[in-house]
PDB file of all heavy atoms in Angstrom:
ATOM      1  N   THR A 390     240.610 207.464 139.170  1.00 92.00           N
ATOM      2  CA  THR A 390     240.698 206.194 138.436  1.00 92.00           C
ATOM      3  C   THR A 390     239.309 205.581 138.353  1.00 92.00           C
ATOM      4  O   THR A 390     238.550 205.608 139.322  1.00 92.00           O
ATOM      5  CB  THR A 390     241.650 205.213 139.147  1.00 92.00           C
ATOM      6  OG1 THR A 390     242.955 205.799 139.209  1.00 92.00           O
ATOM      7  CG2 THR A 390     241.730 203.890 138.398  1.00 92.00           C
ATOM      8  N   VAL A 391     238.998 205.036 137.163  1.00 92.00           N
ATOM      9  CA  VAL A 391     237.743 204.301 136.968  1.00 92.00           C
ATOM     10  C   VAL A 391     238.119 202.885 136.536  1.00 92.00           C
ATOM     11  O   VAL A 391     238.532 202.685 135.399  1.00 92.00           O
ATOM     12  CB  VAL A 391     236.848 204.957 135.898  1.00 92.00           C
ATOM     13  CG1 VAL A 391     235.454 204.304 135.912  1.00 92.00           C
ATOM     14  CG2 VAL A 391     236.746 206.461 136.087  1.00 92.00           C
ATOM     15  N   PRO A 392     238.037 201.906 137.440  1.00 92.00           N
ATOM     16  CA  PRO A 392     238.369 200.533 137.046  1.00 92.00           C
ATOM     17  C   PRO A 392     237.458 200.048 135.920  1.00 92.00           C
ATOM     18  O   PRO A 392     236.340 200.550 135.743  1.00 92.00           O
ATOM     19  CB  PRO A 392     238.143 199.738 138.334  1.00 92.00           C
ATOM     20  CG  PRO A 392     238.217 200.751 139.427  1.00 92.00           C
ATOM     21  CD  PRO A 392     237.667 202.015 138.854  1.00 92.00           C
ATOM     22  N   ALA A 393     237.943 199.076 135.182  1.00 90.00           N
ATOM     23  CA  ALA A 393     237.173 198.536 134.062  1.00 90.00           C
ATOM     24  C   ALA A 393     235.807 198.062 134.536  1.00 90.00           C
ATOM     25  O   ALA A 393     235.690 197.366 135.552  1.00 90.00           O
ATOM     26  CB  ALA A 393     237.936 197.383 133.405  1.00 90.00           C
ATOM     27  N   GLY A 394     234.756 198.472 133.811  1.00 89.00           N
ATOM     28  CA  GLY A 394     233.396 198.053 134.130  1.00 89.00           C
ATOM     29  C   GLY A 394     232.749 198.823 135.261  1.00 89.00           C
ATOM     30  O   GLY A 394     231.593 198.563 135.597  1.00 89.00           O
ATOM     31  N   HIS A 395     233.438 199.777 135.872  1.00 91.00           N
ATOM     32  CA  HIS A 395     232.890 200.557 136.977  1.00 91.00           C
ATOM     33  C   HIS A 395     232.339 201.894 136.464  1.00 91.00           C
ATOM     34  O   HIS A 395     232.594 202.302 135.326  1.00 91.00           O
ATOM     35  CB  HIS A 395     233.957 200.811 138.054  1.00 91.00           C
ATOM     36  CG  HIS A 395     234.241 199.610 138.893  1.00 91.00           C
ATOM     37  ND1 HIS A 395     234.687 198.415 138.361  1.00 91.00           N
ATOM     38  CD2 HIS A 395     234.144 199.409 140.247  1.00 91.00           C
ATOM     39  CE1 HIS A 395     234.851 197.531 139.331  1.00 91.00           C
ATOM     40  NE2 HIS A 395     234.530 198.105 140.488  1.00 91.00           N
ATOM     41  N   THR A 396     231.629 202.567 137.365  1.00 91.00           N
ATOM     42  CA  THR A 396     231.023 203.859 137.035  1.00 91.00           C
ATOM     43  C   THR A 396     231.529 204.926 137.988  1.00 91.00           C
ATOM     44  O   THR A 396     231.492 204.759 139.210  1.00 91.00           O
ATOM     45  CB  THR A 396     229.488 203.785 137.127  1.00 91.00           C
ATOM     46  OG1 THR A 396     229.002 202.839 136.168  1.00 91.00           O
ATOM     47  CG2 THR A 396     228.860 205.154 136.840  1.00 91.00           C
ATOM     48  N   LEU A 397     232.007 206.031 137.405  1.00 92.00           N
ATOM     49  CA  LEU A 397     232.444 207.188 138.180  1.00 92.00           C
ATOM     50  C   LEU A 397     231.562 208.365 137.796  1.00 92.00           C
ATOM     51  O   LEU A 397     231.355 208.638 136.608  1.00 92.00           O
ATOM     52  CB  LEU A 397     233.907 207.534 137.895  1.00 92.00           C
ATOM     53  CG  LEU A 397     234.406 208.844 138.515  1.00 92.00           C
ATOM     54  CD1 LEU A 397     234.652 208.657 140.010  1.00 92.00           C
ATOM     55  CD2 LEU A 397     235.673 209.340 137.834  1.00 92.00           C
ATOM     56  N   ALA A 398     231.030 209.059 138.770  1.00 91.00           N
ATOM     57  CA  ALA A 398     230.221 210.247 138.520  1.00 91.00           C
ATOM     58  C   ALA A 398     230.998 211.480 138.939  1.00 91.00           C
ATOM     59  O   ALA A 398     231.672 211.487 139.975  1.00 91.00           O
ATOM     60  CB  ALA A 398     228.909 210.165 139.277  1.00 91.00           C
ATOM     61  N   VAL A 399     230.898 212.527 138.118  1.00 92.00           N
ATOM     62  CA  VAL A 399     231.547 213.807 138.422  1.00 92.00           C
ATOM     63  C   VAL A 399     230.448 214.848 138.559  1.00 92.00           C
ATOM     64  O   VAL A 399     229.653 215.063 137.633  1.00 92.00           O
ATOM     65  CB  VAL A 399     232.533 214.220 137.316  1.00 92.00           C
ATOM     66  CG1 VAL A 399     233.220 215.538 137.685  1.00 92.00           C
ATOM     67  CG2 VAL A 399     233.568 213.134 137.072  1.00 92.00           C
ATOM     68  N   VAL A 400     230.367 215.485 139.712  1.00 91.00           N
ATOM     69  CA  VAL A 400     229.347 216.498 139.962  1.00 91.00           C
ATOM     70  C   VAL A 400     230.038 217.772 140.422  1.00 91.00           C
ATOM     71  O   VAL A 400     231.216 217.771 140.766  1.00 91.00           O
ATOM     72  CB  VAL A 400     228.339 216.015 141.032  1.00 91.00           C
ATOM     73  CG1 VAL A 400     227.628 214.757 140.572  1.00 91.00           C
ATOM     74  CG2 VAL A 400     229.033 215.800 142.373  1.00 91.00           C
ATOM     75  N   GLY A 401     229.269 218.831 140.423  1.00 86.00           N
ATOM     76  CA  GLY A 401     229.834 220.101 140.858  1.00 86.00           C
ATOM     77  C   GLY A 401     229.107 221.251 140.187  1.00 86.00           C
ATOM     78  O   GLY A 401     228.281 221.049 139.293  1.00 86.00           O
ATOM     79  N   PRO A 402     229.395 222.473 140.597  1.00 84.00           N
ATOM     80  CA  PRO A 402     228.717 223.643 140.033  1.00 84.00           C
ATOM     81  C   PRO A 402     229.119 223.880 138.575  1.00 84.00           C
ATOM     82  O   PRO A 402     230.127 223.343 138.088  1.00 84.00           O
ATOM     83  CB  PRO A 402     229.187 224.790 140.943  1.00 84.00           C
ATOM     84  CG  PRO A 402     230.516 224.336 141.460  1.00 84.00           C
ATOM     85  CD  PRO A 402     230.399 222.843 141.628  1.00 84.00           C
ATOM     86  N   SER A 403     228.344 224.697 137.873  1.00 80.00           N
ATOM     87  CA  SER A 403     228.676 225.073 136.501  1.00 80.00           C
ATOM     88  C   SER A 403     230.026 225.778 136.468  1.00 80.00           C
ATOM     89  O   SER A 403     230.334 226.580 137.351  1.00 80.00           O
ATOM     90  CB  SER A 403     227.594 225.988 135.919  1.00 80.00           C
ATOM     91  OG  SER A 403     226.348 225.329 135.870  1.00 80.00           O
ATOM     92  N   GLY A 404     230.807 225.471 135.454  1.00 79.00           N
ATOM     93  CA  GLY A 404     232.121 226.085 135.323  1.00 79.00           C
ATOM     94  C   GLY A 404     233.212 225.416 136.115  1.00 79.00           C
ATOM     95  O   GLY A 404     234.351 225.892 136.132  1.00 79.00           O
ATOM     96  N   ALA A 405     232.885 224.279 136.754  1.00 82.00           N
ATOM     97  CA  ALA A 405     233.902 223.591 137.564  1.00 82.00           C
ATOM     98  C   ALA A 405     234.881 222.805 136.700  1.00 82.00           C
ATOM     99  O   ALA A 405     235.954 222.420 137.177  1.00 82.00           O
ATOM    100  CB  ALA A 405     233.224 222.653 138.560  1.00 82.00           C
ATOM    101  N   GLY A 406     234.526 222.550 135.421  1.00 84.00           N
ATOM    102  CA  GLY A 406     235.415 221.791 134.541  1.00 84.00           C
ATOM    103  C   GLY A 406     234.924 220.383 134.259  1.00 84.00           C
ATOM    104  O   GLY A 406     235.684 219.558 133.755  1.00 84.00           O
ATOM    105  N   LYS A 407     233.645 220.092 134.538  1.00 85.00           N
ATOM    106  CA  LYS A 407     233.132 218.727 134.379  1.00 85.00           C
ATOM    107  C   LYS A 407     233.144 218.288 132.907  1.00 85.00           C
ATOM    108  O   LYS A 407     233.699 217.245 132.561  1.00 85.00           O
ATOM    109  CB  LYS A 407     231.707 218.630 134.933  1.00 85.00           C
ATOM    110  CG  LYS A 407     231.570 219.012 136.404  1.00 85.00           C
ATOM    111  CD  LYS A 407     230.195 218.720 136.956  1.00 85.00           C
ATOM    112  CE  LYS A 407     229.097 219.473 136.239  1.00 85.00           C
ATOM    113  NZ  LYS A 407     229.195 220.945 136.388  1.00 85.00           N
ATOM    114  N   SER A 408     232.535 219.088 132.032  1.00 84.00           N
ATOM    115  CA  SER A 408     232.466 218.710 130.615  1.00 84.00           C
ATOM    116  C   SER A 408     233.834 218.748 129.950  1.00 84.00           C
ATOM    117  O   SER A 408     234.063 218.077 128.934  1.00 84.00           O
ATOM    118  CB  SER A 408     231.497 219.636 129.866  1.00 84.00           C
ATOM    119  OG  SER A 408     230.164 219.424 130.311  1.00 84.00           O
ATOM    120  N   THR A 409     234.748 219.514 130.517  1.00 88.00           N
ATOM    121  CA  THR A 409     236.117 219.543 129.988  1.00 88.00           C
ATOM    122  C   THR A 409     236.759 218.163 130.056  1.00 88.00           C
ATOM    123  O   THR A 409     237.566 217.790 129.199  1.00 88.00           O
ATOM    124  CB  THR A 409     236.961 220.570 130.766  1.00 88.00           C
ATOM    125  OG1 THR A 409     236.375 221.862 130.608  1.00 88.00           O
ATOM    126  CG2 THR A 409     238.390 220.595 130.267  1.00 88.00           C
TER     127      THR A 409
END
Side-chain angles (χ1 to χ4, degrees):
T390 299
V391 190
H395 285 59
T396 298
L397 172 76
V399 182
V400 299
S403 298
K407 302 188 300 296
S408 293
T409 299

